[in-house]
Amino acid sequence: MTDRTVTLAHLFPELLNLYADQGNISVLRHRMHARGWTLSVTPVKLGSRVDFGSVDMVLLGGGSDREQQLVGRELAIYREDFATAIEAGLPVLAVCGGYQLLGEYYELQSGERIPGLGLLAVTTRAGKGRLIGNIAIEWVSQNGESDGKTIVGFENHAGRTFHDYAPLGRVLKGHGNNGRDHHEGLQYKGVVGTYIHGPLLPKNPHLADHLLAKALAFKGCHEPLDALDDALEWRAHRSVLGMLGVKSGEIRA
Ligand code: GLN
């Protein structure tokens, strides 16, 4: 019998949980449970250790600069194992500060650099003024194609992030990675990096299922995910599109 448990490592939940990033886990748990699966969450706190070989998925949330500094130091010990797992396709959802930490560094306004894991060729510098507000993006696939789906949420970051990977999407309203190139987030193998908090997944059930499908595939299970009743989730999604003046008829929610 297949083991119907997906194991998610939640890195530094006590430090990286800005804007209830933890809410993403409730969504994943609910969506797995509805399909007869169990989501087992392993909180990895400062000082504890995780075996990346035994996890199916990772969540790295956002944090303030101070919290990022604490985590940045601790993360170095995981670098090799985490890199191996990412290259093997481990699904990772990295939000805001967590997204920055997967990269090479986050440079503060003072010029001080908080080292990241250097797992991805991503750099971030704090700019003058924060990039804040509701955001809507057009989701693009890793090869740059779009089937018109949107992702919505809220962003609040000083960091301006630059990289040459596929973005998670093109900014329709809001700021995204750096407020300049209209890109938001990043996709590389199983990694989704994004500035979208809110939390991200409650209003974006299609993205939650995308991550779950990747986690199941990573476990070697290719069963399709049954459709769920997401009427409420889509109402919330469309209400953000409406607030931002993005017509969901033009770009499909
Ligand atoms: N401290 C980082 C920034 O402001 C990340 C903030 C966050 O996670 N919301 O860019």
Side-chain angles (χ1 to χ4, degrees), residues 83-202:
T84 307
I86 284 176
E87 289 309 310
L90 176 70
V92 178
L93 174 60
V95 181
C96 202
Y99 167 35
Q100 296 171 353
L101 283 166
L102 292 182
E104 287 162 15
Y105 58 81
Y106 170 47
E107 188 175 294
L108 303 173
Q109 284 262 313
S110 62
E112 186 191 345
R113 283 188 177 182
I114 300 176
L117 275 167
L119 297 174
L120 299 171
V122 171
T123 57
T124 305
R125 288 194 168 81
K128 288 206 183 78
R130 302 187 68 80
L131 305 179
I132 306 178
N134 289 312
I135 175 167
I137 65 170
E138 179 185 10
W139 189 3
V140 293
S141 68
Q142 294 198 19
N143 57 19
E145 283 165 11
S146 160
D147 60 1
K149 292 199 170 84
T150 46
I151 296 174
V152 299
F154 175 78
E155 60 182 327
N156 180 358
H157 49 108
R160 273 66 166 169
T161 296
F162 292 90
H163 61 73
D164 291 326
Y165 298 95
L168 178 61
R170 283 187 278 271
V171 176
L172 298 169
K173 281 288 163 68
H175 306 283
N177 282 340
N178 48 57
R180 297 210 322 238
D181 64 13
H182 304 290
H183 283 180
E184 202 301 307
L186 166 154
Q187 299 179 81
Y188 172 71
K189 296 199 170 194
V191 178
V192 170
T194 180
Y195 272 115
I196 305 181
H197 291 277
L200 170 69
L201 299 180

